[in-house]
Amino acid sequence: MIGILGAGSLGRLWAALLPVGSVAFIARPGGSPEADISYRFRPINGRELIARIPWLRASDDPGVILVTTKAGDTVDAIAGVIDQFPGTTPIILFQNGLGSQQRVAARWPDRPILAASTTEGANRPEPDLLVHAGTGDTWIGPMTESAGSQLNTVVELLSASGLTIHPEQDILQRLWQKLVINAGINPYTALLDCPNGDILAFPLYRDTIDGLCHELSALMRASGQGEQTPEALRERIETVAHKTARNTSSMRADVLKGRTTEINFINGYLWKLGKDLGIRTPVNQMLTERVHQLWSR
Ligand code: NAD
Ligand code: KPL
């Protein structure tokens, strides 16, 4: 049995793709829902179908737990349920950005904690409809020492979904690669209220992207992430902005729906890291503060 904590877009995607009967959602503490979660699932190819996913029962022993809450909810969500599960159960964190993964690993250092970086895309245009909007790759790797020996087993388990999953020993490096893209696209789309590709034409983006990429390059060097020139980072950001030109980023979607964004785990993480390392990060600071102001309006 695979347990999923966080029955939102990504959690429902995994639940719908894993074999029927092998997956269940983990209820919040105090919540003892009886009815299964039922929703329409629109796959990338093929016909829409109904997914019906049960809640994990006290007698079920999940072989692995997928955590698909937003970054800011993750530590509390895990803390609420973790005592139900044996210390050997692997926990895979699917959050974007950085910071939440390290917090979980630091709080439960003896548990097998893994992190995932995924380019799968899922959204819920209606509460009972889950759309698999784009497919890609998922990398999974260890965040704590005891997770290393479980890596191949969890990759094999999750491969039953039909998604492309790779074991990755250096998962931090993968998370950094995605962080660069999210830092260079998401806040601009939220502030400019536009799809990913449109940011490239705005003065806010054009006047600050080189500064942002210099900050990213310095932070990566100081964090042991190797030498990445600001020019190469800008090119990577713009390649993804072009490829996903018509997409609404997750941050813009959060702002449009009045939900808390993940800015504190993207540019906010980089701003704080800069403070810790003595590296100036005025563009990350500006983007973080402006997204905070947007949200508090
Ligand atoms: P979402 O908001 O749709 O889902 C999060 C779910 O977690 C919600 O249903 C929420 O009610 C639930 N939740 C919050 N606190 C909880 C708690 N204490 N216990 C149990 N459930 C709780 O978000 P999402 O789009 O599924 O994204 C989840 C994470 O995955 C984010 O960090 C996101 O950046 C990352 N991610 C998402 C996608 C995607 O395509 N949706 C792709 C890559 C990465
Ligand atoms: O990951 C994304 C997000 O929206 O969070 C990008 C790559 C920007 C695609 O929209």
Side-chain angles (χ1 to χ4, degrees):
M1 182 64 78
I2 294 169
I4 300 183
L5 183 62
S9 300
L10 197 60
R12 287 174 187 233
L13 177 70
W14 280 100
L17 290 174
L18 286 162
V20 175
S22 74
V23 61
F25 286 116
I26 300 172
R28 293 169 191 246
S32 47
E34 279 167 17
D36 294 352
I37 293 196
S38 172
Y39 51 95
R40 290 180 290 138
F41 171 52
R42 192 172 296 162
I44 289 203
N45 296 310
R47 296 200 3 228
E48 196 170 292
L49 48 96
I50 301 289
R52 191 163 285 118
I53 312 297
W55 292 97
L56 197 79
R57 292 164 306 188
S59 54
D60 293 330
D61 182 10
V64 57
I65 294 171
L66 315 188
V67 184
T68 51
T69 50
K70 291 278 196 183
D73 294 324
T74 298
V75 171
D76 286 349
I78 297 174
V81 299
I82 199 163
D83 289 344
Q84 301 167 40
F85 306 113
T88 49
T89 308
I91 296 174
I92 312 182
L93 310 172
F94 277 86
Q95 288 61 45
N96 257 349
L98 270 175
S100 67
Q101 300 89 345
Q102 292 97 324
R103 279 186 212 168
V104 173
R107 175 125 176 217
W108 293 285
D110 298 330
R111 287 198 174 247
I113 309 285
L114 301 101
S117 178
T118 185
T119 56
E120 297 296 334
N123 58 60
R124 280 168 80 190
E126 298 162 31
D128 77 334
L129 173 64
L130 189 276
V131 178
H132 189 187
T135 194
D137 292 272
T138 300
W139 290 269
I140 300 178
M143 291 294 300
T144 55
E145 211 178 312
S146 61
S149 60
Q150 308 236 32
L151 180 55
N152 290 335
T153 311
V154 301
V155 167
E156 202 173 305
L157 262 176
L158 296 191
S159 296
S161 62
L163 299 180
T164 308
I165 305 172
H166 315 273
E168 170 62 90
Q169 286 303 335
D170 191 358
I171 193 65
L172 263 188
Q173 178 255 333
R174 288 271 171 205
L175 292 167
W176 263 101
Q177 303 300 330
K178 182 107 192 277
L179 180 66
V180 165
I181 305 298
N182 290 135
I185 295 180
N186 295 27
Y188 293 104
T189 62
L191 294 169
L192 298 165
D193 191 17
C194 69
N196 295 358
D198 290 6
I199 61 172
L200 304 172
F202 278 93
L204 175 67
Y205 177 85
R206 301 182 73 83
D207 294 348
T208 59
I209 189 63
D210 285 330
L212 180 77
C213 289
H214 274 92
E215 293 174 20
L216 287 167
S217 175
L219 291 168
M220 291 179 85
R221 187 183 314 113
S223 307
Q225 290 300 316
E227 202 56 51
Q228 317 257 348
T229 65
E231 295 72 25
L233 294 173
R234 179 169 175 173
E235 200 178 313
R236 290 220 316 266
I237 289 166
E238 296 191 350
T239 300
V240 176
H242 282 297
K243 274 195 188 153
T244 62
R246 301 316 311 151
N247 279 22
T248 283
S249 79
S250 53
M251 194 172 289
R252 180 182 180 218
D254 285 339
V255 170
L256 290 173
K257 291 194 172 162
R259 294 187 304 222
T260 308
T261 71
E262 296 191 301
I263 191 75
N264 291 346
F265 299 88
I266 301 176
N267 306 86
Y269 172 82
L270 295 162
W271 173 21
K272 177 167 185 312
L273 184 65
K275 277 194 220 162
D276 293 347
L277 295 171
I279 293 171
R280 288 189 68 251
T281 57
V283 182
N284 279 295
Q285 176 176 352
M286 178 274 293
L287 292 169
T288 305
E289 288 178 341
R290 287 189 58 176
V291 171
H292 282 161
Q293 285 160 12
L294 249 192
W295 190 73
S296 62
R297 246 189 240 153

